[in-house]
């Protein structure tokens, strides 16, 4: 009986965690809206896209977002081959705007109150980052925040945007 229960728990974990978008797979098709309008994933073809999922209550996200602002957004915001989507999981437009203003961020932030975009990429855990290449394939995926992993992501972007 214990063996059967353990097997069942393992199977459930595999099914739950295998739902996450993996590297070398197509990016999900989505659209997301903020105060500046709607962006569709199809609008991003031909660009290198960094998609970041965060929440205002997430401590690792609060460590990562200032680095995302300084080391990625400020470096690449004028690069026509680059797009950044910083998506507030389970946050409204008003919450995202208030947070952005309070923190002084200029990052392009989008609300995802119903997790409609987030759920296309993952089932749980933030922060998350995905780099989508010019062909629409996910070529980098990370969960959580770690300075070494952030540096790895930055190096990948530098390589793609040379």
């Amino acid at each position: 009986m214990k063996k059967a229960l353990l097997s069942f728990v393992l199977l459930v974990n595999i099914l739950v965690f295998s739902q996450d978008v993996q590297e070398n797979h197509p990016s999900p098709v989505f659209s997301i809206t903020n105060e500046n309008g709607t962006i569709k994933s199809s609008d991003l073809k031909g660009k290198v896209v960094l998609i970041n999922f965060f929440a205002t209550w997430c401590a690792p996200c609060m460590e990562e977002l200032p680095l995302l602002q300084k080391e990625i957004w400020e470096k690449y915001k004028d690069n026509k081959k680059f797009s950044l989507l910083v998506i507030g999981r389970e946050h409204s437009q008003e919450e995202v705007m208030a947070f952005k203003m309070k923190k002084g961020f200029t990052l392009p932030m989008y609300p995802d109150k119903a997790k409609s975009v987030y759920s296309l990429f993952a089932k749980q855990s933030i922060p998350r980052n995905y780099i989508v290449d010019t062909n629409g394939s996910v070529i980098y995926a990370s969960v959580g925040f770690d300075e070494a992993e952030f540096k790895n992501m930055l190096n990948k972007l530098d390589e793609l945007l040379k």
Side-chain angles (χ1 to χ4, degrees), residues 117-128:
V117 176
Y118 176 82
S119 65
L120 296 172
F121 285 86
K123 299 301 173 210
Q124 62 184 17
S125 301
I126 51 173
R128 283 183 176 269

Side-chain angles (χ1 to χ4, degrees), residues 80-148:
K80 302 284 186 226
K81 297 187 319 182
F82 177 71
S83 283
L84 174 64
L85 304 175
V86 181
I87 301 173
R89 187 186 84 170
E90 298 180 276
H91 289 298
S92 68
Q93 179 65 45
E94 295 76 24
E95 290 169 324
V96 168
M97 292 303 297
F99 173 76
K100 185 176 176 178
M101 207 155 88
K102 178 182 176 186
K103 296 291 189 177
F105 290 134
T106 59
L107 302 157
M109 292 184 154
Y110 298 81
D112 190 17
K113 182 83 173 159
K115 296 189 338 183
S116 57
V117 176
Y118 176 82
S119 65
L120 296 172
F121 285 86
K123 299 301 173 210
Q124 62 184 17
S125 301
I126 51 173
R128 283 183 176 269
N129 290 291
Y130 297 91
I131 297 176
V132 180
D133 71 7
T134 56
N135 297 315
S137 292
V138 173
I139 59 165
Y140 175 89
S142 69
V143 179
F145 173 71
D146 172 81
E147 286 187 40

Side-chain angles (χ1 to χ4, degrees), residues 19-154:
Q19 299 296 320
D20 294 350
V21 171
Q22 302 293 314
E23 293 177 5
N24 302 313
H25 285 85
S27 174
V29 174
F30 65 90
S31 68
I32 194 156
T33 302
N34 72 2
E35 76 279 6
N36 296 320
T38 299
I39 290 185
K40 297 176 187 171
S41 54
S42 60
D43 298 336
L44 302 169
K45 292 282 186 190
K47 293 185 175 197
V48 172
V49 182
L50 173 58
I51 301 169
N52 169 273
F53 292 100
F54 81 99
T56 61
W57 49 261
C58 165
C61 300
M62 296 308 105
E63 287 183 68
E64 183 177 65
L65 286 171
L67 293 174
L68 197 63
Q69 169 81 35
K70 183 177 172 51
E71 297 186 32
I72 294 176
W73 179 241
E74 290 177 11
K75 183 175 184 176
Y76 291 118
K77 66 183 176 186
D78 296 324
N79 187 324
K80 302 284 186 226
K81 297 187 319 182
F82 177 71
S83 283
L84 174 64
L85 304 175
V86 181
I87 301 173
R89 187 186 84 170
E90 298 180 276
H91 289 298
S92 68
Q93 179 65 45
E94 295 76 24
E95 290 169 324
V96 168
M97 292 303 297
F99 173 76
K100 185 176 176 178
M101 207 155 88
K102 178 182 176 186
K103 296 291 189 177
F105 290 134
T106 59
L107 302 157
M109 292 184 154
Y110 298 81
D112 190 17
K113 182 83 173 159
K115 296 189 338 183
S116 57
V117 176
Y118 176 82
S119 65
L120 296 172
F121 285 86
K123 299 301 173 210
Q124 62 184 17
S125 301
I126 51 173
R128 283 183 176 269
N129 290 291
Y130 297 91
I131 297 176
V132 180
D133 71 7
T134 56
N135 297 315
S137 292
V138 173
I139 59 165
Y140 175 89
S142 69
V143 179
F145 173 71
D146 172 81
E147 286 187 40
E149 187 61 34
F150 187 89
K151 194 68 159 167
N152 184 34
M153 179 176 71
L154 182 57

